[in-house]
Amino acid sequence: MCSTDIHERRPVLEHVEVMANDRLAQGVGLLVMRAPRIAASVEPGQFVHLRISMGTDSILRRPFSVHRVVGDTIEVLYQVLGRGTRDLAGKRRGDAMDAIGPLGHGWKVEPGVAHALLVAGGLGAAPLGMLAEDLAGRGVAVSVALGAPTAERLVARALFERVARRVELATDDGSAGEAGFVTSVSARLLERDLPDIVCVCGPEIMARRVAEQAADAGVRCLVSLERLMACGVGACLSCVVTTKSGRLRACVDGPVFDAEEVVWDGSEVPPRH
Amino acid sequence: MCSTDIHERRPVLEHVEVMANDRLAQGVGLLVMRAPRIAASVEPGQFVHLRISMGTDSILRRPFSVHRVVGDTIEVLYQVLGRGTRDLAGKRRGDAMDAIGPLGHGWKVEPGVAHALLVAGGLGAAPLGMLAEDLAGRGVAVSVALGAPTAERLVARALFERVARRVELATDDGSAGEAGFVTSVSARLLERDLPDIVCVCGPEIMARRVAEQAADAGVRCLVSLERLMACGVGACLSCVVTTKSGRLRACVDGPVFDAEEVVWDGSEVPPRH
Amino acid sequence: MDPKSPRATDASSQVDLTVDMAGLKLRNPVMTASGTFASGREYADFLDLSRLGAVVTKGVSLEPWAGNASPRIAETASGMLNSIGLQNPGVEAFVARDLAWLAGHDVPVIVNVSGHTVKEYAAVVERLDAEPSVAGMEINISCPNVDAGGMAFGTDCTAAAEVTRAARAVTGKPLIIKLSPNVTDIADIARAVEAAGADAVSLINTVLGMSIDARSRRPRLARTVGGLSGPAIKPVALRMVWQVASAIELPVIGMGGVRTAEDAVEFMLAGATAVAVGTASFVDPTATIRVIDGLESFCQETGVAHVSDLTGALVL
Amino acid sequence: MDPKSPRATDASSQVDLTVDMAGLKLRNPVMTASGTFASGREYADFLDLSRLGAVVTKGVSLEPWAGNASPRIAETASGMLNSIGLQNPGVEAFVARDLAWLAGHDVPVIVNVSGHTVKEYAAVVERLDAEPSVAGMEINISCPNVDAGGMAFGTDCTAAAEVTRAARAVTGKPLIIKLSPNVTDIADIARAVEAAGADAVSLINTVLGMSIDARSRRPRLARTVGGLSGPAIKPVALRMVWQVASAIELPVIGMGGVRTAEDAVEFMLAGATAVAVGTASFVDPTATIRVIDGLESFCQETGVAHVSDLTGALVL
Ligand SMILES: Cc1cc2nc3c(=O)[nH]c(=O)nc-3n(C[C@H](O)[C@H](O)[C@H](O)COP(=O)(O)OP(=O)(O)OC[C@H]3O[C@@H](n4cnc5c(N)ncnc54)[C@H](O)[C@@H]3O)c2cc1C
Ligand SMILES: Cc1cc2nc3c(=O)[nH]c(=O)nc-3n(C[C@H](O)[C@H](O)[C@H](O)COP(=O)(O)OP(=O)(O)OC[C@H]3O[C@@H](n4cnc5c(N)ncnc54)[C@H](O)[C@@H]3O)c2cc1C
Ligand SMILES: Cc1cc2nc3c(=O)[nH]c(=O)nc-3n(C[C@H](O)[C@H](O)[C@H](O)COP(=O)(O)O)c2cc1C
Ligand SMILES: Cc1cc2nc3c(=O)[nH]c(=O)nc-3n(C[C@H](O)[C@H](O)[C@H](O)COP(=O)(O)O)c2cc1C
Ligand code: FES
Ligand code: FES
């Protein structure tokens, strides 16, 4: 399924209805939306571009990975950062929005892969949820290295523990798993499990470190990158990632890139505060 | 009460709570807000400056006459014209807004007045509601000429019929009272009732016509005028009315002016469509 | 109605939406704004390109340009800043890939042209002049996001005239000059390019602006400054369209914050022959179609038989 | 806290909010923007004037001015247009009524000055120089809403310098020149007024704009065009403050869409010594106080000991 050419599954503009919106942790929520057309065609690692408010003062959509698909609903795991995500946190069952999706190229994990290591920092767990379920369903052995500031913020832990063979944790404050960065966990798992592929998403500095670990270990690494996005469909060139083949658009050429291709030039989204 | 100097009753910035918001007719609603401080000091003809939405795209407040005071609530009669009044129509019981008020100089009807004619065109009935109640309470005989496009839009009719000695109607389509303009009714009532004062509010072209009728009849006429307002408190000079003593601010020097003073120079708010 | 299907009612509609603009007959006065619609391919999932008045492409230069570093955008109140910096694959790749694709879509193609020097502008225009599927060219002398060229040509009458003359010398196709709002007197520049042989002017390009993150103390754009677009700049754009339309005889293409049909009407009343929809497509990929359908309804409701009757019909 | 009561905490606060600006010692860097606060009397119901860095008054001219016809305002996306046209009772009435009232309020008074000619500007400055309660003057060479004078002086280096020199000749008090954003290069004008003897510059005045009602086909302002203010113009204002602060040595007063403490911080990072709050006071009459309190909290939270450490502290 992951090797399906994206061009066969074109994005649509779909009216979506909020089915549930639950707070999972301080500043983190899970939004469930009825979106039959997107749910039917989205692949792991793809995202939706949400129009959160209809006013003119906030004129851009906001991109969110599809975390899971359940029936004709899609789930989005979100962190409250600014006005868009604040408005999102205020949505209630029955509210309507519109979404463009599915967008982008997701995780391309070839059929031959037997063991995959997923590395998630904070909300980086979002695009890895569907992937973990998908790989497990295909019989791939999945290990997960999951990091967050606190135990409470390990928001996708239950999903990963359900489908993965092994989930190892790191928290800044040591409230779950080891105290420290998820990159220590990923280094250990890379060495111990000898995965065929590493899939990583999280703050760019962390993703880059994991990519280096994978390169050192000679393991292929895919990384999902975030950029500020205007159109989300490839038209505006606001979201470029510097790669060995030039500046590519995260929204259509990514958001998942082969880590080998990425030139880490500090052009990531400015750090959250 | 109407002769109290406004400077003894300074405006306040008050958080108000919506108690009810009912549709009265096509595009017309009655908003009831708990506003104890404003309710305690507002006089007939004064207004409140409402902050309807908290976003940055609509950055101005909207002025509304206080139609009635009931206990610690104030009532506003509003017509849906643009985005401000559309948002207002969407307010539900329990919603919060903030209001500046009471603002402006209201109707100055001296103690000696025995008979007053009130002339209202459409939503011009709004600032006349409190006045009718107040005058009736002071034993002044009140006649009302009330006009609107249709019978349904004669929204303050019940209030006037309760307190006034006589209410005569005009509708564009003849669905209540006589078919035609309220200015025919006011001409007739002026002649027949020989009032001591005429108080008028409505579209500027209609108010001007009534002012001329009153002048011809030698009766003092007060007119409440609308201007687009930014600050509402006298600071920005956006709301000026041309008078014989220069350009005065509708928000603090009005909105009620002595019709004799007004220079009708077409500087009214652009016609609604 | 579905923006992807051609309108069955077009033929029977009483309103004539067609406009003549610099020798081009357009189906309606609604185009895409350069740089917000790429070459249309990305939006073909959401709308039928043949319904548009014209597709105006992203800026194309002689050689490939890499554009500026990221972040390249920042949202502001009712607007956004961009500092894309005219990233593009160069005119040859554009012709081979984008133009070839667009040629099959029954819509007039106006190619937006960038350059660092007068020579480069002229070389691109000359190259495009040879392509039958190019209906016209829009010369961008107003991009605030490049160091050499760009806005420098658009803020000086002499330089603006020079670029125009050089382009005029190598093409007989409709030549539109895109003006910068970052000037003291935009009518002056418009008169200069009119005298130098332009067939039309388009305005406004983005307004130079800046956004800062108070906490990190950094500019939100890697390039520090960028161009402001969206509803925030509409009042400035309307004013400039009105000034320019009053100053020259050429047709004016108005843009800057067009989001609804009423916005389009306002630009036409101010003097625009056609309008372009830019930033609005980002939030609503069918914005152009909404504006076209809305224009038709507006004309029907208000008794306008020919949409071009709106042009310059402001009542003072 | 109640914006009307003086802050009990001011003395004990660890953050030093005072700034020195053109020889004036201000309690904090937050002023009112001319024309949005009259002479403060109207806002005294809502806040304690002595908490402000300074009150900048509505523009005052030699003779009374009647201003423009109504309608004088129009709301736009995240902004508003105004065409008040400097209605004012003339300097004598201003001194007798407004200045006398303000003098009792323990707040520095900066009087904004308008004129049709250089002579008129100088006459007003000379008259105000004689008033001890005038702390400084701000010369408005950038009003887009008057025919003679106003913006004409602010869009030309020579004229701007001439007004500055004439004012400088008749006052030793702090002299602030208020610049227009409607120019190709605002740094040029800033350099000209610096050389001509200004003590500070303030920017931006409003951006010339227009609004049209599609149905009536009329401009929404009686004067057709007006000045755009509010959050919509903040990116333009920040960019210009940054350009000007980089170009001259004089202190800069930044304004244009300041609504929150973070906005004020952004202007200071871009190079402003002080900021002014304009349009924001219309929607929230206590906006100035919110910005002052917010600045104090911001400095406390981010470890800024002296608010003026923020000035020019942009990290590139
Ligand atoms: C392909 C893709 C998939 C994404 N998936 C998810 C997801 O599943 N869940 C989720 O919570 N977020 C996701 N994001 C990030 C999300 O889009 C942003 O957090 C959101 O747009 C912020 O909007 P806002 O209005 O709340 O913040 P803004 O007001 O726009 O910004 C507030 C602050 O957050 C910072 N910020 C804004 N966007 C980002 C970003 N993308 N990354 C880091 N910092 C940012 C800004 O620089 C600013 O400092 C994804 C982004 C991309 C590009
Ligand atoms: C002192 C005063 C008291 C008022 N009392 C009432 C009242 O009790 N009830 C009530 O419904 N309205 C009253 N108004 C008018 C009310 O303020 C406006 O209708 C309202 O501000 C429109 O806001 P909007 O956002 O819906 O319309 P906008 O989007 O601002 O405008 C939509 C259309 O309506 C027109 N318009 C805007 N304001 C006015 C106006 N004041 N008069 C006529 N046309 C206008 C505009 O020109 C435009 O064409 C009063 C106005 C004043 C000055
Ligand atoms: C992301 C982006 C890229 C742009 N690229 C170009 C360009 O390549 N050439 C050009 O002439 N204008 C470019 N523009 C300017 C637009 O064509 C248009 O003039 C401007 O955005 C105002 O219109 P709007 O408010 O509808 O977006 C760009 C604008 C944006 C937002
Ligand atoms: C209603 C109004 C009246 C103004 N009058 C003056 C004035 O008399 N003199 C002046 O120099 N600026 C005047 N201005 C400009 C403001 O002082 C300020 O420069 C501008 O509004 C930008 O700031 P803001 O976005 O915070 O409002 C006026 C602005 C408004 C909105
Ligand atoms: S967001 Fe527009 S090209 Fe990627
Ligand atoms: S609304 Fe500001 S003075 Fe009247």
Side-chain angles (χ1 to χ4, degrees):
Chain A
M1 153 177 189
C2 286
S3 57
T4 313
D5 188 313
I6 185 65
H7 287 286
E8 296 167 20
R9 302 171 176 269
R10 305 303 309 165
V12 296
L13 177 61
E14 185 165 35
H15 289 271
V16 302
E17 187 192 333
V18 175
M19 306 304 289
N21 191 6
D22 297 318
R23 183 183 175 286
L24 299 188
Q26 167 73 30
V28 181
L30 181 77
L31 183 74
V32 184
M33 292 170 281
R34 217 185 84 87
R37 297 173 67 199
I38 294 172
S41 63
V42 63
E43 299 181 3
Q46 286 192 300
F47 68 96
V48 292
H49 211 24
L50 272 185
R51 181 170 192 178
I52 299 172
S53 93
M54 298 302 286
T56 66
D57 52 343
S58 176
I59 58 160
L60 296 181
R61 289 174 180 263
R62 300 288 191 270
F64 295 93
S65 304
V66 175
H67 180 52
R68 282 183 75 211
V69 171
V70 180
D72 61 4
T73 67
I74 57 173
E75 296 183 4
V76 156
L77 207 55
Y78 64 91
Q79 175 160 17
V80 177
L81 283 178
R83 71 160 286 177
T85 44
R86 205 157 44 233
D87 287 354
L88 201 61
K91 298 286 172 188
R92 287 178 268 180
R93 188 183 166 89
D95 284 348
M97 284 186 280
D98 81 50
I100 304 177
L103 292 168
H105 276 77
W107 309 100
K108 299 270 174 284
V109 180
E110 287 82 15
V113 166
H115 192 141
L117 170 61
L118 277 44
V119 187
L123 266 278
L128 291 168
M130 232 184 127
L131 177 66
E133 290 183 332
D134 184 57
L135 293 177
R138 284 160 57 190
V140 177
V142 176
S143 307
V144 178
L146 187 61
T150 63
E152 189 207 15
R153 304 274 282 274
L154 291 164
V155 283
R157 179 176 174 180
L159 180 155
F160 291 126
E161 288 179 342
R162 202 173 60 241
V163 300
R165 179 175 303 186
R166 159 182 292 139
V167 179
E168 301 215 354
L169 311 171
T171 52
D172 294 353
D173 65 354
S175 53
E178 62 180 77
F181 294 128
V182 71
T183 42
S184 320
V185 180
S186 60
R188 196 173 58 235
L189 293 188
L190 250 173
E191 200 172 320
R192 193 180 56 198
D193 296 351
L194 300 172
D196 305 311
I197 194 164
V198 178
C199 298
V200 54
C201 185
E204 201 138 316
I205 186 169
M206 164 261 178
R208 178 179 180 175
R209 184 80 201 87
V210 173
E212 285 161 0
Q213 295 171 346
D216 290 347
V219 178
R220 185 165 173 238
C221 179
L222 300 177
V223 54
S224 178
L225 296 176
E226 291 188 3
R227 290 293 181 271
L228 298 180
M229 292 181 173
C231 73
V233 300
C236 70
L237 303 179
S238 59
C239 63
V240 294
V241 168
T242 309
T243 73
K244 290 182 183 151
S245 0
R247 290 202 167 117
L248 299 182
R249 298 161 299 177
C251 67
V252 289
D253 303 315
V256 177
F257 291 90
D258 200 316
E260 283 242 296
E261 279 296 304
V262 175
V263 177
W264 306 94
D265 64 350
S267 68
E268 70 264 26
V269 176
R272 318 178 178 198
H273 53 246
Chain B
M1 153 178 193
C2 287
S3 58
T4 313
D5 188 310
I6 184 64
H7 286 286
E8 297 167 19
R9 301 172 177 270
R10 306 302 309 165
V12 296
L13 176 62
E14 185 166 35
H15 289 272
V16 301
E17 188 192 331
V18 174
M19 306 304 290
N21 191 8
D22 296 318
R23 183 183 174 286
L24 298 187
Q26 167 72 30
V28 181
L30 181 76
L31 183 75
V32 184
M33 292 170 279
R34 215 184 85 86
R37 296 172 68 197
I38 294 172
S41 62
V42 64
E43 299 181 3
Q46 288 192 298
F47 68 96
V48 292
H49 210 25
L50 273 185
R51 182 171 191 177
I52 300 172
S53 92
M54 297 302 285
T56 66
D57 52 343
S58 175
I59 59 160
L60 296 180
R61 289 174 179 264
R62 298 289 191 270
F64 295 93
S65 303
V66 174
H67 181 52
R68 281 183 76 212
V69 173
V70 180
D72 61 4
T73 67
I74 56 174
E75 296 184 4
V76 157
L77 207 54
Y78 63 91
Q79 175 159 16
V80 176
L81 285 178
R83 71 161 286 178
T85 44
R86 205 158 42 235
D87 287 353
L88 201 60
K91 299 286 172 187
R92 286 179 269 181
R93 188 184 166 90
D95 284 348
M97 282 186 282
D98 81 51
I100 303 176
L103 292 169
H105 276 77
W107 309 99
K108 297 271 171 288
V109 181
E110 287 82 13
V113 166
H115 191 140
L117 170 61
L118 277 43
V119 187
L123 266 278
L128 291 167
M130 230 184 129
L131 177 67
E133 290 184 330
D134 184 58
L135 293 176
R138 283 160 59 190
V140 177
V142 176
S143 308
V144 178
L146 187 62
T150 63
E152 190 207 15
R153 304 275 282 274
L154 291 164
V155 282
R157 179 176 175 180
L159 181 154
F160 291 127
E161 288 181 339
R162 201 172 62 241
V163 300
R165 181 174 301 186
R166 157 181 297 138
V167 179
E168 302 216 354
L169 310 172
T171 52
D172 294 353
D173 64 353
S175 54
E178 61 181 75
F181 295 129
V182 70
T183 43
S184 321
V185 180
S186 59
R188 196 172 60 235
L189 293 188
L190 250 174
E191 200 172 321
R192 193 179 59 196
D193 295 351
L194 300 172
D196 305 311
I197 194 164
V198 178
C199 298
V200 55
C201 184
E204 202 137 316
I205 186 169
M206 164 261 179
R208 179 180 179 173
R209 184 78 200 90
V210 173
E212 285 161 359
Q213 294 171 344
D216 290 346
V219 178
R220 185 167 173 236
C221 179
L222 299 177
V223 54
S224 179
L225 296 176
E226 290 188 3
R227 290 293 180 272
L228 298 180
M229 292 182 174
C231 73
V233 300
C236 71
L237 304 179
S238 59
C239 64
V240 292
V241 169
T242 310
T243 73
K244 291 183 181 148
S245 358
R247 289 200 167 116
L248 299 182
R249 298 160 298 179
C251 66
V252 290
D253 304 315
V256 178
F257 291 90
D258 200 315
E260 284 243 296
E261 280 296 303
V262 175
V263 177
W264 305 93
D265 64 349
S267 67
E268 70 263 25
V269 176
R272 318 178 177 197
H273 53 248
Chain C
M1 63 167 287
D2 183 349
K4 291 204 66 179
S5 53
R7 301 207 93 187
T9 51
D10 263 4
S12 63
S13 152
Q14 298 110 318
V15 181
D16 185 351
L17 285 183
T18 62
V19 293
D20 287 303
M21 203 271 306
L24 295 176
K25 177 104 180 166
L26 308 181
R27 209 169 261 122
N28 61 61
V30 183
M31 323 184 173
T32 61
S34 174
T36 64
F37 208 73
S39 295
R41 192 199 297 250
E42 287 77 6
Y43 279 103
D45 289 322
F46 305 101
L47 55 92
D48 172 7
L49 294 180
S50 74
R51 298 227 27 233
L52 301 174
V55 166
V56 181
T57 70
K58 172 74 185 162
V60 176
S61 53
L62 192 57
E63 305 293 335
W65 286 5
N68 295 316
S70 291
R72 290 176 166 187
I73 56 167
E75 198 179 51
T76 66
S78 293
M80 66 175 281
L81 290 166
N82 89 79
S83 59
I84 309 299
L86 296 172
Q87 175 176 339
N88 82 90
V91 69
E92 287 309 332
F94 169 80
V95 167
R97 210 178 50 194
D98 299 282
L99 194 59
W101 183 87
L102 260 174
H105 283 79
D106 185 25
V107 64
V109 177
I110 296 175
V111 182
N112 182 276
V113 174
S114 326
H116 292 122
T117 61
V118 173
K119 260 212 175 98
E120 275 183 32
Y121 277 109
V124 180
V125 171
E126 191 165 17
R127 176 67 189 83
L128 291 168
D129 184 68
E131 292 296 323
S133 49
V134 172
M137 283 168 264
E138 179 182 58
I139 312 299
N140 178 5
I141 56 166
S142 45
C143 181
N145 295 319
V146 291
D147 290 321
M151 200 173 93
F153 288 106
T155 55
D156 178 83
C157 289
T158 317
E162 204 187 335
V163 175
T164 309
R165 259 192 308 272
R168 180 75 297 163
V170 292
T171 188
K173 296 196 180 188
L175 190 64
I176 304 158
I177 307 294
K178 182 152 179 190
L179 305 181
S180 170
N182 302 295
V183 295
T184 307
D185 187 353
I186 195 168
D188 257 5
I189 314 274
R191 277 185 288 258
V193 304
E194 177 175 49
D199 295 313
V201 296
S202 58
L203 61 150
I204 58 176
N205 209 316
T206 53
V207 183
L208 195 60
M210 183 171 175
S211 175
I212 295 173
D213 181 57
R215 304 263 162 184
S216 69
R217 299 188 174 189
R218 289 179 190 279
R220 286 188 190 272
L221 298 174
R223 203 185 128 83
T224 307
V225 295
L228 184 63
S229 63
I233 66 169
K234 197 183 82 170
V236 178
L238 273 177
R239 182 262 295 183
M240 290 188 164
V241 164
W242 181 67
Q243 286 181 321
V244 168
S246 312
I248 63 173
E249 299 296 318
L250 301 181
V252 172
I253 304 167
M255 70 195 80
V258 175
R259 205 175 51 87
T260 67
E262 293 218 347
D263 295 333
V265 171
E266 292 164 31
F267 275 91
M268 295 187 74
L269 292 171
T273 296
V275 301
V277 176
T279 303
S281 287
F282 299 155
V283 68
D284 178 2
T286 66
T288 42
I289 303 297
R290 264 199 307 99
V291 171
I292 294 166
D293 290 344
L295 259 183
E296 187 171 2
S297 318
F298 182 94
C299 289
Q300 250 149 8
E301 283 167 26
T302 60
V304 174
H306 195 301
V307 74
S308 65
D309 294 343
L310 292 170
T311 297
L314 188 70
V315 181
L316 286 180
Chain D
M1 61 165 290
D2 182 348
K4 292 204 64 180
S5 54
R7 303 207 92 187
T9 51
D10 262 6
S12 64
S13 152
Q14 297 111 319
V15 181
D16 185 351
L17 286 182
T18 62
V19 293
D20 286 304
M21 201 273 304
L24 296 176
K25 178 103 180 168
L26 307 181
R27 210 169 261 124
N28 60 62
V30 183
M31 321 184 174
T32 61
S34 175
T36 64
F37 208 72
S39 295
R41 194 200 295 251
E42 287 76 7
Y43 280 103
D45 288 322
F46 305 101
L47 55 91
D48 173 6
L49 294 180
S50 74
R51 296 226 27 232
L52 301 174
V55 167
V56 181
T57 71
K58 171 75 186 162
V60 177
S61 54
L62 191 57
E63 306 293 335
W65 286 7
N68 296 317
S70 291
R72 291 177 165 186
I73 56 167
E75 198 179 51
T76 67
S78 294
M80 66 176 280
L81 289 166
N82 88 80
S83 59
I84 309 298
L86 295 173
Q87 176 177 339
N88 81 92
V91 67
E92 287 308 332
F94 168 81
V95 167
R97 210 179 50 193
D98 298 282
L99 195 59
W101 183 87
L102 259 174
H105 282 79
D106 185 25
V107 64
V109 178
I110 296 176
V111 183
N112 182 277
V113 174
S114 325
H116 293 123
T117 61
V118 174
K119 259 211 173 104
E120 274 183 33
Y121 278 109
V124 180
V125 171
E126 191 164 18
R127 175 67 188 85
L128 292 168
D129 185 68
E131 292 295 323
S133 48
V134 172
M137 282 167 264
E138 180 183 56
I139 312 300
N140 178 5
I141 55 166
S142 45
C143 182
N145 294 319
V146 291
D147 290 321
M151 202 173 91
F153 288 106
T155 55
D156 178 85
C157 289
T158 317
E162 204 187 334
V163 176
T164 308
R165 260 192 308 273
R168 179 77 294 166
V170 292
T171 188
K173 295 194 180 188
L175 190 64
I176 304 158
I177 308 294
K178 184 154 178 187
L179 305 182
S180 171
N182 302 295
V183 294
T184 307
D185 187 352
I186 195 168
D188 257 4
I189 314 273
R191 277 185 287 258
V193 304
E194 176 175 49
D199 295 313
V201 295
S202 58
L203 61 149
I204 58 174
N205 209 317
T206 54
V207 182
L208 195 60
M210 184 170 174
S211 176
I212 294 173
D213 181 57
R215 304 263 161 185
S216 69
R217 299 188 173 188
R218 288 177 190 280
R220 287 189 189 271
L221 298 174
R223 203 185 127 82
T224 307
V225 296
L228 183 64
S229 63
I233 66 168
K234 197 183 81 171
V236 179
L238 273 177
R239 182 263 296 184
M240 290 188 162
V241 165
W242 181 67
Q243 285 181 321
V244 167
S246 312
I248 63 173
E249 299 295 318
L250 302 181
V252 172
I253 303 167
M255 70 195 80
V258 175
R259 207 175 50 87
T260 66
E262 292 218 347
D263 295 333
V265 171
E266 291 163 32
F267 274 92
M268 295 187 76
L269 292 171
T273 296
V275 301
V277 175
T279 302
S281 288
F282 299 156
V283 70
D284 177 2
T286 65
T288 42
I289 304 298
R290 263 199 306 99
V291 172
I292 295 167
D293 291 345
L295 259 184
E296 187 171 2
S297 317
F298 182 95
C299 289
Q300 250 151 7
E301 282 166 26
T302 61
V304 174
H306 195 301
V307 74
S308 64
D309 294 343
L310 292 170
T311 297
L314 188 69
V315 180
L316 286 181

